Amino acid sequence: MAEQRTGSPEETEAVAARLAEELQPGDVVTVAGELGSGKTTFVRGACRLLGVTGPVTSPTFTIGHRYEGKVPVSHLDLYRFAGVSHAEWGDLEPYFDDAVTFVEWPEAGAGVLPAPRFRVHMRHSGGDRRAIRIECADTRV
Ligand code: ADP
Ligand code: MG
């Protein structure tokens, strides 16, 4: 998919909401990009479409959040992980169970996390502008 440009957090949330319309439990969406590029903002927009009404914030001091929307939604942040060990995977695995799962800083989970259905890449593009690239890894027919 071509890169999309946004000029405000609200526009980024709207891009995320359009993607969220496609999602169902079991789907994993990785959200990569540097600090402040809008990963959590993107996840928040997707969560709103999925019916999550409470706060959606970066799970920085815990591995993840689990929200109850129209479907269960998990929100992981692997920022502090250098890699994911077998033991750590045991803690992470339940988040993926029967939920739509968003993973910020997914790099540490490479090779361990379930294959994502979509990969989102966010970049600063000057001021409040952001560039968002969404790769579809859907192999389902
Ligand atoms: P990350 O999770 O990548 O660290 P956050 O979503 O927590 O990023 O923070 C992004 C910050 O940038 C927020 O303060 C948000 O309001 C601001 N911002 C400004 N413009 C945009 C935009 N176009 N898209 C997303 N966030 C934006
Ligand atoms: Mg974040």
Side-chain angles (χ1 to χ4, degrees), residues 120-133:
V120 179
H121 304 268
M122 312 230 16
R123 290 196 288 102
H124 284 97
S125 185
D128 284 349
R129 291 194 303 278
R130 302 291 188 275
I132 306 174
R133 189 161 51 84

Side-chain angles (χ1 to χ4, degrees), residues 100-124:
V100 174
T101 304
F102 297 94
V103 184
E104 294 188 44
W105 296 102
E107 293 82 356
V112 180
L113 301 187
R117 186 164 167 222
F118 293 99
R119 292 189 182 85
V120 179
H121 304 268
M122 312 230 16
R123 290 196 288 102
H124 284 97

Side-chain angles (χ1 to χ4, degrees), residues 31 33-41 43-44 57-60 75-77 79 104-105:
V31 188
E34 62 201 20
L35 204 64
S37 60
K39 299 182 295 299
T40 299
T41 301
V43 174
R44 184 177 304 118
T57 56
S58 235
T60 302
H75 181 189
L76 303 178
D77 188 321
Y79 181 61
E104 294 188 44
W105 296 102

